[in-house]
Amino acid sequence: MPDDQANTPTTEFLTPNRAPEADRRKRLLDAITNESFNDWYQEEQFTENILEGRPYFNGASPPPAAEKHSPSKLLQCHRKVRYYAENAPKEGDAPQGLFWIGSAFEEEIVVPYLLDAVTTENTYVRNSMWIDTTIDDGGAPVRVKGVTDPVLVDSSGGPILVTEIKTTSSLSYLDSPKTHHKAQLHAYMHALDAEYDRSLRDGVLLYGGRDTLDIEVFHVQFDESFWQDRVVPWMRAQTQYRSDEVLPPADPVSDWECDTCPFRIRCGQANEGYEDVGFTGLLPGVDEYRKHQLVEYLDAYPDAKLTPTLAHQFPALAEEHGVYDWHCPTCGATYAWDAIDIEAQSPLCERCVEDDELCTVAVPMPESQNIH
């Protein structure tokens, strides 16, 4: 080897043992995405639920018994509540951020406030109390079960004053408690009064402004007429819908419900061509499902598959759970989910085209997706 070549360092020793700075920076930039954040957050929640001894929060909950009701769902649209109970696939943005903010506001602000500025001698704060009571007053028995927000208690842990904590975007429009929140607080007061055999007839609805951190407080006294004439009949009606295994009418109790409902499209409130869809089945052509919402639905219904639209969005879920094929209602031909252009307005059946017929292929509608 010539001397000049022998003294020349090889490329191996010239190349740093790491990626160039620009490549490393690009990998970091590419890693920060909404999808990776959502995946990380869901895994964090999954792990935390196991750590805190509540693994039952991971995955879908089984439909409740017909007579059992959650305080947080009272006096709302019967159809929406049934969709929730039957684990129908949710559409649109999930309110996870609102739940997190509400929980943080309660635990990190309201509870310390109650402890430091509200409680007096021999008065204490419990973070929450479980309730489970049956209303059997001559009509069909109904059961309400859940967990309260902070409760002011005496030295024995007995309830003195029940609170319900909510956050809202603005306090300016609040001149009275929201009706379904009032119903929720009534359920807590009724159950705790019965369990502890004391005259528990007062509660507090505390609304916190998410922007200003101001609060609006409403003293709520137990209203027997409101409870017996509105709340209990609502529970009995919902029980009947469950017992009859029917889809309740689309009849929201409040004007705002349809605007924020995660089942607007399947219900028929979004002008997307769907109406009165049952509890199972993904809507063909609809892409307004978030990944974790699909995971919950697929957990509740393991024999469900993705539509082609969703398979293109979530290939990992498609590989794990499968995808519905396209089919021709005229000749019966089927096509793999990725063999058809999903952007086509009216994808044609190739077999029918060969026979000089123009027939459109389609994905099975929810009622034909054979989900059990």
Side-chain angles (χ1 to χ4, degrees):
M1 177 183 296
D3 290 343
D4 57 342
Q5 292 184 20
N7 295 327
T8 301
T10 64
T11 305
E12 177 182 356
F13 295 105
L14 286 174
T15 304
N17 190 26
R18 59 181 175 82
E21 203 65 27
D23 290 344
R24 182 163 56 178
R25 184 181 301 110
K26 184 178 186 305
R27 284 202 300 271
L28 294 173
L29 288 169
D30 291 344
I32 304 173
T33 67
N34 182 59
E35 182 178 2
S36 70
F37 174 79
N38 285 331
D39 288 344
W40 168 83
Y41 184 73
Q42 293 306 312
E43 185 60 32
E44 285 287 297
Q45 292 295 101
F46 189 94
T47 303
E48 182 179 348
N49 286 335
I50 295 176
L51 179 66
E52 298 296 331
R54 49 177 190 250
Y56 43 83
F57 282 176
N58 293 329
S61 300
E67 73 281 357
K68 178 184 170 185
H69 303 278
S70 169
S72 63
K73 293 292 190 290
L74 299 175
L75 285 195
Q76 297 181 50
C77 173
H78 280 294
R79 176 176 289 188
K80 178 180 72 173
V81 173
R82 284 284 282 132
Y83 277 143
Y84 269 116
E86 297 296 328
N87 293 302
K90 303 180 186 70
E91 311 145 5
D93 295 332
Q96 290 188 104
L98 296 181
F99 291 154
W100 184 87
I101 291 171
S103 178
F105 178 73
E106 176 186 326
E107 295 172 5
E108 299 180 20
I109 297 179
V110 175
V111 169
Y113 161 67
L114 295 175
L115 283 168
D116 295 342
V118 176
T119 56
T120 58
E121 187 178 1
N122 297 322
T123 307
Y124 306 87
V125 177
R126 288 181 63 168
N127 288 330
S128 61
M129 298 181 73
W130 282 98
I131 67 159
D132 187 356
T133 189
T134 298
I135 296 93
D136 189 1
D137 53 7
V142 289
R143 178 185 175 198
V144 60
K145 181 178 181 180
V147 61
T148 73
D149 279 353
V151 180
L152 298 171
V153 299
D154 58 24
S155 58
S156 67
I160 301 172
L161 184 67
V162 190
T163 74
E164 179 59 31
I165 315 301
K166 302 294 183 184
T167 59
T168 183
S169 58
S170 173
L171 298 173
S172 59
Y173 63 90
L174 274 176
D175 54 12
S176 63
K178 295 181 179 180
T179 305
H180 64 297
H181 295 160
K182 181 180 172 182
Q184 185 174 354
L185 190 57
H186 270 64
Y188 297 147
M189 288 190 285
H190 174 87
L192 292 175
D193 180 73
E195 181 177 349
Y196 286 86
D197 192 23
R198 57 175 63 191
S199 182
L200 194 64
R201 286 299 191 251
D202 294 277
V204 166
L205 265 167
L206 187 154
Y207 292 91
R210 290 192 288 270
D211 293 336
T212 64
L213 285 186
D214 289 335
I215 66 171
E216 187 74 48
V217 181
F218 296 99
H219 172 204
V220 178
Q221 293 183 302
F222 190 87
D223 184 338
E224 194 70 34
S225 176
F226 173 74
W227 177 252
Q228 291 292 345
D229 297 341
R230 293 195 62 183
V231 183
V232 174
W234 184 95
M235 286 191 280
R236 289 190 170 126
Q238 178 70 200
T239 292
Q240 194 62 51
Y241 288 129
R242 294 175 182 174
S243 298
D244 294 342
E245 298 184 351
V246 298
L247 181 69
D251 187 20
V253 178
S254 303
D255 295 338
W256 53 264
E257 285 190 83
C258 289
D259 293 336
T260 61
C261 182
F263 309 105
R264 293 178 67 244
I265 299 177
R266 72 189 305 108
C267 178
Q269 304 300 315
N271 298 320
E272 298 261 353
Y274 294 100
E275 187 176 12
D276 303 332
V277 179
F279 307 121
T280 61
L282 295 165
L283 306 177
V286 173
D287 60 3
E288 296 183 37
Y289 297 101
R290 299 284 291 271
K291 182 179 179 179
H292 74 272
Q293 295 169 333
L294 290 172
V295 170
E296 286 182 358
Y297 171 68
L298 294 167
D299 178 63
Y301 298 98
D303 54 348
K305 302 178 183 180
L306 296 188
T307 62
T309 298
L310 296 173
H312 284 284
Q313 286 183 258
F314 308 106
L317 290 181
E319 184 175 351
E320 181 179 357
H321 297 278
V323 187
Y324 292 108
D325 289 332
W326 299 86
H327 73 281
C328 176
T330 301
C331 71
T334 61
Y335 301 89
W337 67 271
D338 54 356
I340 300 292
D341 181 8
I342 62 170
E343 301 296 331
Q345 291 294 321
S346 300
L348 297 177
C349 171
E350 294 179 1
R351 182 186 297 178
C352 289
V353 169
E354 292 174 357
D355 294 336
D356 295 327
E357 292 188 61
L358 298 180
C359 301
T360 302
V361 296
V363 178
M365 295 297 285
E367 61 272 15
S368 302
Q369 290 178 14
N370 298 321
I371 300 170
H372 304 95

